[in-house]
Amino acid sequence: MKRKIYIIYAFLGMTFTGCDNILDSTPAVTISEDLFWQTEDDAEKAIIGVYGPLMDEYYFAGHTEPVWDVQSDDLYRAGDWGDDAQLETFNANPEQGELFGRGWKLKFEGIKRANDVLRNVPSMSISEQKKNEILGQAYFMRAFHYSRLMLIHGGLPLYDENLPISEYNKPRATHAETYEFIERDLEKAAELLPLSWPEADLGKPTKASAWGLLCRFYLYEEKYQEVVNTANKIFEHKDLYSLMDNYGDNFLVEKRNEKEVLFAVKMMMMADSPAWPFNLYFYPHAFGGWNFFHPEQSLVDEFEYLDGSPRRKIKFQKEDAENCKYVFTDNGEIVNWQKEFIQRDPRLRATVVTCGESFNMDGAVYTFPAGDTMTGYCCNKYIDPNHHAGLCNLHYCIVRMSDIYLMKAEALLKQQGSSNAEIDGLINEVRRRVGLADISNCTMEDIIHERRCEFATEGLRHYDLIRWKLAKTVYANDNGPDGPRTFVEGKHELLPIPQSEIDLSQGVLVPVSYTHLTLPTNSLV
């Protein structure tokens, strides 16, 4: 049977200006550009290298990108890393080299590799179609690497393919300038990338990947008409991009495709061993994992009953660990989770595993014990029910079609101030997919609820709360294992850049300041 080749996430064994630090100009391996940039195969190898850093444990393969979600009220860190505890309680500092330093280097390594491609491929004697495909990926990935840095650090030093090494020690641009740089790259990527790829290349970014990320960053900047216009470009191709019939299929290896998942960091198995440790972080100990990142109870309580009944809050009885007991807080009744899941929004079932549940993985039965969780749950989206942690190769969704529906609905609502049939229809399209009843006269509160349930544990909640100006209030009332947390507006929206980078720049790079925190003044309708 023909095997699908998803994006390759192994480091390319050579780099052209590769180094550990953006200010270090000594190549890790010296290769003459005159000898290399000759054939389509050379160009393909170079673009593979641009994806390579994603595979590192301190990028998407466990830390750091998935860990940012513990700042939200969706996930508790659960692991034994002190860095994660400081992050979750908003006490992160520039000295946390493992958490910030390695991620900074990896992302800038990806940016440099993209710049190598953008500088050399245009003059290569290869077909225009191949040039466009390679350059489109390079623009997309440069924007992607920058976007992950910008979300946590704000304004950044900006490097394009024309910048000489002598000018690498640059100061930080403003938040707005960084947004503009990313958006220009995504717009260029959308021009060059194909609408879809052959089966052998599934997983590479498409025009919709670029449009989807553009929608997100336009929304962060309150460019509401641009959100609507860009979303409409995707909706023009519903033959290619649409919602999966079954919500949970977006997260299963055997079901994944490019219909709804417009872009994901996807992994593949290599010689019957995991290609990355990402899933090890999310699997509980009993399933062969490292037991990080547990969904919080307030997230579970957010999911509706299919018949519209009032939501009932639940409490995990940690002290009764042997019996894996959950009770309803209104009357102390023991929760029967098999019965409860049938009555709830199916997205809950796809999001969490409860204590006592068992899976037949690789011929053996694995049961999730209460002793493996601080909150009563583990993350179902990153568990393959057919494989224990050591043989799992699930992926991390970056942008899905349901996000396009909800972002367009939010942008229209912000523009108009009240709902209409189009806005209601966009939200209800997402709700119908999981069997929930239509709602009318939708408000921002409806969108906030829908986004939390739809994208739970996918890394969007914290940034949504920040742009809605709700982080301070929500975290002050968070009843997760750490209890209420203090979020200081104007301070905790961004995380510090590594002290090591500040030192290497000899004062050119500076810590976060309000100059770099020129965030939009987004507020609820």
Side-chain angles (χ1 to χ4, degrees):
M1 183 176 72
K2 183 177 180 181
R3 186 186 179 111
K4 289 183 180 179
I5 300 175
Y6 291 91
I7 271 183
I8 297 175
Y9 294 97
F11 277 108
L12 188 65
M14 54 189 170
T15 58
F16 306 104
T17 60
C19 47
D20 286 338
N21 189 277
I22 193 69
L23 301 178
D24 179 356
S25 62
T26 303
V29 178
T30 302
I31 298 176
S32 170
E33 292 191 352
D34 293 337
L35 296 176
F36 181 77
W37 300 97
Q38 302 294 324
T39 66
E40 287 191 0
D41 185 59
D42 291 341
E44 287 285 2
K45 287 176 180 176
I47 197 63
I48 288 170
V50 179
Y51 295 106
L54 294 172
M55 184 52 197
D56 193 276
E57 186 175 356
Y58 288 86
Y59 200 164
F60 267 103
H63 276 74
T64 54
E65 294 305 302
V67 80
W68 307 139
D69 212 18
V70 305
Q71 296 173 99
S72 78
D73 55 341
D74 278 2
L75 281 184
Y76 176 65
R77 63 183 182 276
D80 56 358
W81 287 37
D83 279 353
D84 294 358
Q86 288 177 270
L87 180 71
E88 189 160 22
T89 55
F90 306 119
N91 289 306
N93 67 76
E95 301 289 350
Q96 292 174 261
E98 290 294 300
L99 191 61
F100 301 130
R102 289 176 64 175
W104 177 279
K105 290 178 174 65
L106 286 161
K107 294 175 180 72
F108 273 112
E109 175 65 31
I111 290 164
K112 288 188 299 175
R113 294 182 186 192
N115 282 336
D116 284 336
V117 172
L118 293 170
R119 183 174 58 254
N120 289 286
V121 167
S123 60
M124 292 179 70
S125 297
I126 60 177
S127 70
E128 285 303 307
Q129 178 181 341
K130 179 58 67 173
K131 278 187 183 181
N132 288 343
E133 290 174 355
I134 297 293
L135 293 173
Q137 292 175 74
Y139 279 115
F140 179 87
M141 287 307 301
R142 184 169 72 181
F144 185 74
H145 291 310
Y146 261 121
S147 73
R148 304 312 298 185
L149 281 164
M150 189 213 68
L151 282 174
I152 63 170
H153 296 304
L156 299 162
L158 301 175
Y159 305 92
D160 66 20
E161 67 275 21
N162 300 312
L163 188 75
I165 291 177
S166 60
E167 296 181 25
Y168 270 15
N169 194 8
K170 295 188 67 176
R172 300 175 69 164
T174 66
H175 212 86
E177 289 167 341
T178 308
Y179 267 127
E180 184 180 357
F181 186 95
I182 291 168
E183 288 167 3
R184 282 201 307 267
D185 271 6
L186 290 173
E187 289 162 359
K188 189 65 176 178
E191 291 176 18
L192 298 171
L193 288 168
L195 281 166
S196 62
W197 291 93
E199 183 177 352
D201 292 318
L202 289 181
K204 293 180 179 179
T206 63
K207 288 185 182 297
S209 307
W211 288 330
L213 284 184
L214 272 171
C215 283
R216 182 170 297 162
F217 287 99
Y218 286 149
L219 190 62
Y220 287 174
E221 287 193 275
E222 300 181 349
K223 295 180 178 179
Y224 299 130
Q225 190 56 51
E226 285 90 337
V227 174
V228 173
N229 295 342
T230 307
N232 286 341
K233 293 178 182 179
I234 302 175
F235 287 130
E236 288 174 4
H237 301 282
K238 287 192 174 182
D239 57 325
L240 295 174
Y241 317 122
S242 59
L243 298 179
M244 294 281 283
D245 293 335
N246 186 303
Y247 174 82
D249 286 352
N250 285 298
F251 314 101
L252 296 177
V253 173
E254 65 271 20
K255 300 287 187 178
R256 67 187 181 193
N257 61 27
E258 315 314 307
K259 179 181 179 181
E260 176 167 348
V261 180
L262 302 183
F263 188 67
V265 179
K266 295 183 176 179
M267 296 299 111
M268 62 183 181
M269 295 252 294
M270 296 188 294
D272 294 325
S273 64
W276 64 338
F278 168 77
N279 299 109
L280 289 170
Y281 278 94
F282 283 92
Y283 270 63
H285 289 140
F287 292 5
W290 297 339
N291 202 36
F292 283 62
F293 311 143
H294 298 168
E296 291 195 18
Q297 185 61 58
S298 67
L299 171 62
V300 174
D301 291 338
E302 186 80 19
F303 292 86
E304 299 173 50
Y305 287 92
L306 291 169
D307 65 2
S309 298
R311 279 173 278 171
R312 298 178 70 186
K313 292 186 177 181
I314 293 166
K315 181 180 180 182
F316 172 57
Q317 301 288 78
K318 179 69 175 176
E319 63 275 9
D320 193 16
E322 286 188 10
N323 295 318
C324 303
K325 186 184 292 184
Y326 302 79
V327 299
F328 290 109
T329 59
D330 54 6
N331 62 3
E333 174 190 353
I334 295 176
V335 178
N336 179 326
W337 270 107
Q338 284 187 320
K339 180 180 177 181
E340 188 68 11
F341 276 137
I342 292 173
Q343 300 179 72
R344 293 277 195 114
D345 178 344
R347 292 176 293 192
L348 174 58
R349 165 75 286 178
T351 300
V352 304
V353 175
T354 60
C355 295
E357 291 194 67
S358 297
F359 296 88
N360 189 338
M361 298 177 175
D362 304 302
V365 176
Y366 293 76
T367 301
F368 178 38
D372 265 10
T373 178
M374 294 291 292
T375 65
Y377 311 95
C378 68
C379 291
N380 202 18
K381 287 181 180 177
Y382 309 111
I383 291 178
D384 183 343
N386 302 307
H387 296 288
H388 62 71
L391 291 176
C392 181
N393 65 328
L394 297 184
H395 58 244
Y396 194 86
C397 292
I398 301 300
V399 60
R400 297 193 282 110
M401 270 302 296
S402 54
D403 204 1
I404 308 305
Y405 281 90
L406 295 179
M407 287 192 289
K408 181 180 177 181
E410 182 176 343
L412 289 170
L413 186 58
K414 290 286 189 178
Q415 282 183 318
Q416 299 171 18
S418 61
S419 193
N420 58 25
E422 182 181 13
I423 296 170
D424 290 348
L426 290 163
I427 297 170
N428 287 328
E429 191 77 18
V430 175
R431 291 174 60 83
R432 288 170 194 153
R433 189 253 295 270
V434 292
L436 291 171
D438 285 0
I439 55 178
S440 58
N441 299 315
C442 293
T443 64
M444 269 305 302
E445 283 69 25
D446 293 316
I447 290 175
I448 290 167
H449 162 74
E450 210 59 44
R451 287 189 65 84
R452 190 178 192 192
C453 294
E454 181 70 19
F455 307 117
T457 73
E458 293 180 51
L460 296 180
R461 171 72 170 173
H462 179 62
Y463 304 112
D464 280 345
L465 291 174
I466 287 174
R467 67 188 179 82
W468 292 326
K469 300 295 183 183
L470 290 176
K472 179 179 179 179
T473 300
V474 168
Y475 297 148
N477 293 284
D478 186 2
N479 290 313
D482 280 331
R485 295 172 293 147
T486 300
F487 180 93
V488 179
E489 291 181 343
K491 177 181 180 182
H492 290 146
E493 288 87 349
L494 300 176
L495 296 172
I497 63 173
Q499 186 62 46
S500 58
E501 301 298 328
I502 295 173
D503 295 341
L504 284 166
S505 75
Q506 298 180 333
V508 173
L509 287 179
V510 296
V512 172
S513 72
Y514 288 101
T515 301
H516 309 105
L517 186 57
T518 52
L519 298 170
T521 56
N522 216 331
S523 59
L524 293 179
V525 171

